[in-house]
Amino acid sequence: LCGLLSGNKIRPRFVLFGALGMAIFFGLLGSVTPSYVNVVVFVCGAGFSAGFYVIPLIALIQHLSPEDKLGQFLGATGGLNWSFIAIGSVTFWVGVGAFGIPPTRLFLLCSLLSVIGTVTAASHLRRHPHDPAVS
């Protein structure tokens, strides 16, 4: 859907929509009593929002990277993504196992991080002029 709505342009403002959606759905996952329906709806909502977060960022990386370094930029992006997935797994394991934090409460941390990301992205978008291919 993000690709269809973007058309032939890169729309960094979709990152804000995606980050806000993830903050909302992660917040709901961490604050309501889990049930099958709640979890399915909120995880699907977070995944849908994540698409609006990731797709414009990857498109920007591809657009702004020097052609001769594009593979290195994309490789570094993939490495960072997987590094943070590993960090998230360790955080979950330590939080739940060592400190006894309820697993649902860790979604509140994800929500907070999404809010921080939204504020950071919004301030960056306001300070930098757009490339003609980007709107």
Side-chain angles (χ1 to χ4, degrees):
L1 183 61
C2 182
L4 288 173
L5 292 174
S6 295
N8 293 332
K9 295 188 177 189
I10 300 169
R11 304 202 186 268
R13 297 208 183 274
F14 284 166
V15 173
L16 301 176
F17 172 76
L20 182 60
M22 287 190 301
I24 290 168
F25 286 111
F26 288 147
L28 290 169
L29 276 166
S31 60
V32 300
T33 303
S35 71
Y36 180 77
V37 173
N38 286 348
V39 172
V40 167
V41 169
F42 298 153
V43 167
C44 287
F48 180 80
S49 299
F52 278 88
Y53 182 79
V54 170
I55 289 171
L57 291 177
I58 296 298
L60 274 173
I61 289 169
Q62 291 175 352
H63 178 72
L64 298 174
S65 298
E67 282 189 38
D68 62 330
K69 304 279 187 194
L70 180 59
Q72 291 175 353
F73 277 75
L74 292 175
T77 300
L80 284 170
N81 285 339
W82 283 104
S83 296
F84 280 103
I85 288 170
I87 290 168
S89 296
V90 170
T91 301
F92 181 83
W93 180 72
V94 169
V96 172
F99 295 109
I101 298 171
T104 56
R105 296 299 180 239
L106 292 176
F107 284 110
L108 293 176
L109 174 62
C110 293
S111 179
L112 175 64
L113 292 174
S114 292
V115 168
I116 292 168
T118 304
V119 170
T120 303
S123 68
H124 181 76
L125 285 173
R126 273 191 232 120
R127 283 184 280 140
H128 291 46
H130 299 302
D131 185 292
V134 179
S135 68

